Amino acid sequence: MKKVFTKMPDSFSAARIKIILTILILSYVKLAVVIADSLIKHHSFQLTRAIIILVTYTGLLKWLLYRPSHIRTIAHLLIITGLLIIWGNPILNHKNVNVVLLQMIFMVSLSSFYLLDKKFGVIYSVLAALPIFLIVVLKTKLYDYSGGFREEIGSPGVEILIFFNFVTLFYSHYLFYQAIQLNMEEKAELNSKLKDAVEEANKLALSKSDFLSVMSHELRTPLNTVLGSTSMLLNNDPKESQKEDLRALKFSTNNLLNLINDILEFNRTESDKMELEIIPVNLSETMYDIFSGLKFAANEKKLELILNIDPELSQQVVLSDPTRLTQVIYNLLWNAIKFTDKGSVTLSLSQLENTEKEVKVRFLISDTGIGINEDRQEAIFEPFTQAYSNTTRHFGGTGLGLAIVKRLLLLFNSNIHLKSCPDKGSDFFFDIVFDRTELTLNPITPQLEFDLQGMKILIAEDNEMNTLLMKKLLSKWNTECEYVGNGSVILDLFNKGLYYDVILMDLNMPVMDGIEATKAIRKMENHMGIQIIALTASVSDEIRVKIHEAGMNDYVYKPFEPAVLYQKLQLIQSNNVRAARSINTAIS
């Protein structure tokens, strides 16, 4: 029996085994009473019937112990045996109904529900109760029946049968209730384990997110030096042979940076921590910047890179998130270039709708590349999935680009669509509704000479290579610069009465980081209005929120293009000049 119970998958299966065992074992006691009574009173038929039932129950017991997995079949046979006793008893007992018969009906009914299921419970219960109704109907109509009971077995045998029937009924109920109680306890224990597992998974996900953020910062910081130095060398009018090498270096650096961004972006989309930044964006200039950045890659493969922008959108300024939009377009264009060996790659922008408040734009990226089979067109938008099994080996990539595109477009309330034919190319397109704005933007114009004459800048940066880069870069712009390695030194300088036009503040520094230093500066009466630009290698939304809450005016992501930093500094200088003129005018 112990072996039988150890094989049971749950408490309910064990309870069913126990109920059958209870019925069979207690039936041996009741059958012993019947056999003894039959021998004393010489009831041969009753003795024969009792022996047949004894043999049947013994067979069922052995079957149950050797094949407990056949419990349903054994239960059916046990209940059918009970039904035969119920149907045979009133017929053989001159259509009388006694207490023992009623108990048998109750046992068959509860056993069919407990041991089988609702359907068989109803069927067997009806079959067990039917003889009672037939007896009442037949005796009322055909016989002058006045009721009463007739006992087959004399006292004290009948009392023993009644007692053990009650024991069977009570103990069966107890076993099933115990199974329910055990099941509830097991469920509570499983829920507790599940809760612990969820908490552990959340901690693991958080640690993974933190790890990726730290690794992002550690990787992007040296890339800032590489990309910045390359941009400076390209602006130093190098030889033509050097230009090609420098462009290749810059392209490879940007490619590595995009790979880091993809992994970090996927991590953020997975944890649903993204929100769109809403700032003015010049669509045509943003597309031109992306286009220019990928032209070298297209030229290397001798592909024609085409940019078509609807004239209606040529100077259209909208409210959007330029970083996310750039990621979407860049990923799609980069994929198109990667999977196209000859022909062209085209980026097209067309205006679909234009109202006073909104403009609807369709973005279309077309190529003449390898194309995608129809049965794989849905799969390529899943993480770490490529169109074909040998794609990664032949073309490289992580398989994250299109998954990120799909998730980012959901933030824009848009969806990516694909039309493709193998060996003929692919068309990826999506529509975005932008809010219009009357604001105008000063374009970033590429030039070799920048001039911020007389501007006093304080750079807070603890990385020596980045500091070296900033010194070379800002010295060419004719600025007056001072460098510190942590935020506490800034406070010391301010306490000495020194003043600067702007602080370029790295966020991660020893002793006092950029966030703490900014909060302290904003509490200093003489320096509350100073312009502070955050230098950060982290592109997460949480960091942007912290930058804003600390009181910083703007931010620049590392690695950055020198022209981007220059535009921000030039805007601050222009505002300072206008403010000085206003003060002088007021005084005069």
Side-chain angles (χ1 to χ4, degrees):
M1 286 185 186
K2 288 181 179 179
K3 290 182 180 179
V4 170
F5 291 130
T6 55
K7 294 178 182 179
M8 293 300 101
D10 53 63
S11 55
F12 283 107
S13 298
R16 291 186 176 101
I17 295 286
K18 289 178 182 178
I19 288 172
I20 293 178
L21 287 173
T22 299
I23 293 171
L24 291 174
I25 291 170
L26 293 181
S27 293
Y28 283 130
V29 178
K30 292 181 282 184
L31 286 169
V33 173
V34 173
I35 291 171
D37 186 79
S38 301
L39 290 172
I40 294 170
K41 295 181 178 179
H42 305 288
H43 289 168
S44 58
F45 181 79
Q46 184 171 278
L47 178 62
T48 303
R49 186 175 64 160
I51 292 172
I52 292 172
I53 295 172
L54 179 64
V55 172
T56 303
Y57 281 3
T58 302
L60 292 177
L61 180 59
K62 290 182 69 66
W63 190 0
L64 179 66
L65 294 176
Y66 283 100
R67 292 287 186 273
S69 59
H70 296 174
I71 183 172
R72 283 185 65 86
T73 304
I74 296 169
H76 278 293
L77 293 174
L78 182 63
I79 292 168
I80 290 169
T81 304
L83 285 174
L84 292 175
I85 295 171
I86 291 170
W87 276 83
N89 197 62
I91 294 172
L92 298 172
N93 196 26
H94 308 293
K95 297 184 176 62
N96 272 336
V97 178
N98 55 31
V99 174
V100 176
L101 182 65
L102 292 175
Q103 287 180 324
M104 285 292 296
I105 293 170
F106 288 137
M107 278 192 286
V108 166
S109 179
L110 76 89
S111 297
S112 58
F113 278 105
Y114 285 175
L115 301 179
L116 298 169
D117 52 40
K118 182 171 65 176
K119 181 180 74 173
F120 284 109
V122 172
I123 293 171
Y124 285 137
S125 295
V126 170
L127 290 175
L130 191 59
I132 302 296
F133 295 105
L134 291 176
I135 289 171
V136 172
V137 170
L138 289 174
K139 286 190 174 181
T140 301
K141 292 184 176 180
L142 300 178
Y143 302 96
D144 186 16
Y145 176 65
S146 58
F149 298 97
R150 179 176 175 176
E151 296 176 352
E152 267 189 301
I153 303 172
S155 183
V158 68
E159 287 84 355
I160 296 173
L161 290 180
I162 292 172
F163 170 76
F164 279 105
N165 280 338
F166 274 125
V167 170
T168 305
L169 286 167
F170 293 155
Y171 194 59
S172 298
H173 281 294
Y174 166 76
L175 290 173
F176 212 77
Y177 173 80
Q178 187 184 47
I180 293 172
Q181 192 71 23
L182 285 172
N183 184 261
M184 291 175 66
E185 291 173 3
E186 290 170 359
K187 189 175 180 181
E189 186 179 355
L190 285 174
N191 286 336
S192 178
K193 289 181 179 178
L194 179 62
K195 185 179 178 181
D196 292 340
V198 169
E199 288 179 0
E200 189 67 27
N202 288 336
K203 288 179 182 177
L204 185 62
L206 185 61
S207 64
K208 182 186 77 171
S209 179
D210 291 341
F211 170 77
L212 286 173
S213 296
V214 171
M215 287 306 298
S216 167
H217 178 268
E218 294 303 317
L219 290 170
R220 291 168 69 91
T221 298
L223 281 177
N224 180 55
T225 306
V226 176
L227 190 60
S229 299
T230 307
S231 298
M232 285 176 59
L233 290 170
L234 281 169
N235 285 334
N236 281 341
D237 195 19
K239 297 176 183 178
E240 284 302 318
S241 59
Q242 292 174 329
K243 278 184 181 179
E244 186 176 349
D245 293 337
L246 289 171
R247 284 171 182 161
L249 177 61
K250 187 173 182 180
F251 171 76
S252 297
T253 305
N254 277 320
N255 196 24
L256 179 58
L257 179 62
N258 286 319
L259 182 63
I260 295 169
N261 287 342
D262 276 354
I263 295 171
L264 195 64
E265 196 68 46
F266 181 75
N267 180 60
R268 284 208 304 278
T269 59
E270 211 176 27
S271 57
D272 298 325
K273 290 182 177 179
M274 290 197 306
E275 290 182 6
L276 288 180
E277 181 183 28
I278 305 300
I279 60 174
V281 180
N282 187 310
L283 284 178
S284 58
E285 288 183 5
T286 302
M287 296 304 111
Y288 178 77
D289 289 343
I290 301 169
F291 182 84
S292 300
L294 288 168
K295 201 161 188 178
F296 178 74
N299 290 340
E300 270 199 330
K301 298 186 72 173
K302 298 180 180 179
L303 299 175
E304 186 180 6
L305 193 59
I306 304 168
L307 178 61
N308 291 326
I309 298 181
D310 191 327
E312 295 290 330
L313 299 172
S314 60
Q315 291 302 318
Q316 182 69 65
V317 178
V318 297
L319 294 176
S320 187
D321 187 327
T323 305
R324 304 284 190 250
L325 186 60
T326 298
Q327 279 181 285
V328 170
I329 302 298
Y330 185 94
N331 271 318
L332 291 173
L333 276 176
W334 175 244
N335 259 18
I337 292 170
K338 185 166 65 173
F339 296 112
T340 303
D341 290 327
K342 59 182 180 179
S344 63
V345 173
T346 304
L347 168 61
S348 302
L349 271 69
S350 56
Q351 181 175 281
L352 300 181
E353 296 175 13
N354 193 355
T355 66
E356 187 177 340
K357 294 183 178 181
E358 296 177 338
V359 56
K360 187 175 184 179
V361 180
R362 170 157 293 180
F363 297 81
L364 171 64
I365 293 86
S366 305
D367 65 64
T368 57
I370 61 174
I372 304 162
N373 287 331
E374 189 174 353
D375 62 343
R376 298 293 298 166
Q377 290 182 12
E378 288 292 329
I380 62 170
F381 294 103
E382 297 302 317
F384 309 106
T385 303
Q386 302 277 17
Y388 306 104
S389 59
N390 61 352
T391 297
T392 300
R393 186 172 69 253
H394 288 171
F395 298 98
T398 60
L400 288 175
L402 291 177
I404 292 169
V405 165
K406 184 177 180 180
R407 295 185 184 187
L408 286 177
L409 284 177
L410 291 176
L411 296 175
F412 289 94
N413 296 317
S414 180
N415 289 299
I416 187 74
H417 302 280
L418 169 62
K419 291 181 180 178
S420 184
C421 184
D423 301 320
K424 291 187 178 180
S426 304
D427 290 342
F428 290 86
F429 62 94
F430 58 91
D431 303 334
I432 296 180
V433 177
F434 297 101
D435 289 333
R436 295 168 61 93
T437 177
E438 299 301 322
L439 294 173
T440 57
L441 297 175
N442 296 322
I444 301 175
T445 55
Q447 59 189 57
L448 294 176
E449 295 296 332
F450 293 143
D451 190 7
L452 296 171
Q453 181 69 42
M455 193 172 195
K456 296 184 68 176
I457 302 174
L458 179 63
I459 295 96
E461 169 67 72
D462 66 312
N463 185 280
E464 291 183 9
M465 295 306 297
N466 281 342
T467 302
L468 178 64
L469 170 67
M470 297 293 281
K471 282 180 180 178
K472 289 184 177 181
L473 182 65
L474 293 173
S475 64
K476 290 189 173 187
W477 298 351
N478 299 319
T479 61
E480 297 178 28
C481 297
E482 190 161 345
Y483 301 86
V484 296
N486 64 74
S488 65
V489 180
I490 300 175
L491 303 184
D492 293 339
L493 293 175
F494 283 176
N495 288 328
K496 293 176 182 178
L498 296 178
Y499 183 83
Y500 303 90
D501 294 307
V502 62
I503 303 174
L504 299 180
M505 183 86 75
D506 184 36
L507 295 188
N508 293 290
M509 294 183 292
V511 184
M512 179 181 284
D513 63 28
I515 297 294
E516 293 178 36
T518 301
K519 289 179 179 178
I521 291 167
R522 292 307 181 208
K523 294 177 182 178
M524 302 176 76
E525 188 174 347
N526 295 333
H527 302 282
M528 292 175 61
I530 191 171
Q531 296 291 303
I532 301 176
I533 297 177
L535 301 177
T536 174
S538 175
V539 295
S540 68
D541 294 313
E542 293 91 335
I543 291 297
R544 288 198 295 197
V545 171
K546 287 182 179 180
I547 288 171
H548 174 74
E549 290 177 348
M552 293 182 171
N553 303 96
D554 206 343
Y555 55 87
V556 174
Y557 288 138
K558 297 177 185 177
F560 58 82
E561 287 286 349
V564 174
L565 177 61
Y566 177 80
Q567 185 188 41
K568 294 179 182 294
L569 294 175
Q570 187 185 46
L571 181 62
I572 292 172
Q573 187 182 50
S574 300
N575 290 337
N576 289 345
V577 170
R578 283 195 295 270
R581 286 175 181 170
S582 298
I583 293 171
N584 291 334
T585 302
I587 292 173
S588 60

